[in-house]
Amino acid sequence: MRELFRRSRLRSPITTPAQSIPSTDPSAQRRIPCPSCGRLNAAWRTTCEQCSARLPRLEDVPPPPKPHVERPGCVTLWLLLLGMYVSVYVVVLLLDTAAGDALSARDVLILGAAGIGLAIGAVIVGGFWRMKPWARVPAIAVHAVLLVLFGYSELTGDTADGAEGFFERTASLIWLAALATVIGWLATHRADFHRTPHVAPYGEDAQEQP
């Protein structure tokens, strides 16, 4: 009895590691669309599973394009305006600093902290530009800081009288309202930061047509 059991185990098929471990070759995960019916076929097939038409070779099928982000137009416009504003502000600040007296240790520390803040802000804004889910909350924080700093600057600064002062106050109110609007948009549009990037129909995550 023991001998029969041993022989049955020897005759049973053994699963090899190559069969149990999925292939990491990108070509094995590709799908070939049929030129006749459009069905997605496995890369190893030479004829279509549905209509039996001749399939092109995998080497002749172009690779799927890189995913692109579906970014709302309002986000693009706002980030361009914000980038121009920050760029002009930094240039004016650097020119004023260069035209002044020699920098003290306190000024160097302030400029260093401002540079670190700009670098962190650039990373967050870059994630916002690509609509990354992780960038939404930090982007809210960055805009909140800008709102507080800009509002404090306008409240404590001197405003000219007459028409010049009126237009300056109006521009400040518009800028503050824009910052508040962006914060509200970020807080209420969480789903826009989970968009599925566009992929080719024969990519790794493609689903076969029925």
Side-chain angles (χ1 to χ4, degrees):
M1 189 69 179
R2 186 175 300 175
E3 182 67 17
L4 292 176
F5 179 75
R6 187 181 65 83
R7 290 181 180 179
S8 64
R9 291 194 60 185
L10 290 176
R11 293 176 182 176
S12 60
I14 300 176
T15 303
T16 61
Q19 294 173 335
S20 58
I21 300 176
S23 174
T24 57
D25 184 7
S27 63
Q29 301 172 350
R30 293 275 298 277
R31 300 290 185 270
I32 302 179
C34 176
S36 299
C37 65
R39 182 179 179 84
L40 300 178
N41 295 268
W44 55 268
R45 296 190 63 89
T46 57
T47 58
C48 178
E49 183 181 2
Q50 178 169 304
C51 66
S52 301
R54 185 75 177 177
L55 294 175
R57 296 183 303 174
L58 184 62
E59 295 79 10
D60 299 334
V61 178
K66 295 182 179 180
H68 65 268
V69 179
E70 297 180 3
R71 182 173 50 252
C74 60
V75 173
T76 301
L77 178 61
W78 169 250
L79 291 180
L80 290 177
L81 292 175
L82 182 62
M84 289 188 294
Y85 176 82
V86 173
S87 300
V88 172
Y89 184 82
V90 170
V91 170
V92 171
L93 180 62
L94 292 177
L95 291 177
D96 291 342
T97 303
D101 299 331
L103 296 177
S104 63
R106 179 175 178 272
D107 295 335
V108 173
L109 290 176
I110 293 176
L111 290 176
I116 295 174
L118 286 176
I120 296 174
V123 173
I124 295 173
V125 170
F128 186 14
W129 177 266
R130 296 190 299 272
M131 302 297 291
K132 296 293 185 179
W134 60 264
R136 188 180 68 90
V137 174
I140 293 176
V142 168
H143 284 80
V145 170
L146 290 176
L147 181 64
V148 172
L149 293 178
F150 191 78
Y152 177 79
S153 176
E154 291 301 319
L155 290 175
T156 58
D158 296 331
T159 304
D161 298 329
E164 182 180 355
F166 172 77
F167 286 112
E168 184 177 347
R169 286 190 296 270
T170 303
S172 300
L173 291 176
I174 293 175
W175 183 250
L176 291 173
L179 287 171
T181 302
V182 172
I183 293 174
W185 187 91
L186 288 169
T188 56
H189 287 72
R190 180 179 181 179
D192 288 351
F193 288 81
H194 294 271
R195 292 178 179 270
T196 302
H198 171 77
V199 294
Y202 50 86
E204 177 180 354
D205 298 329
Q207 296 180 355
E208 294 190 0
Q209 298 179 359

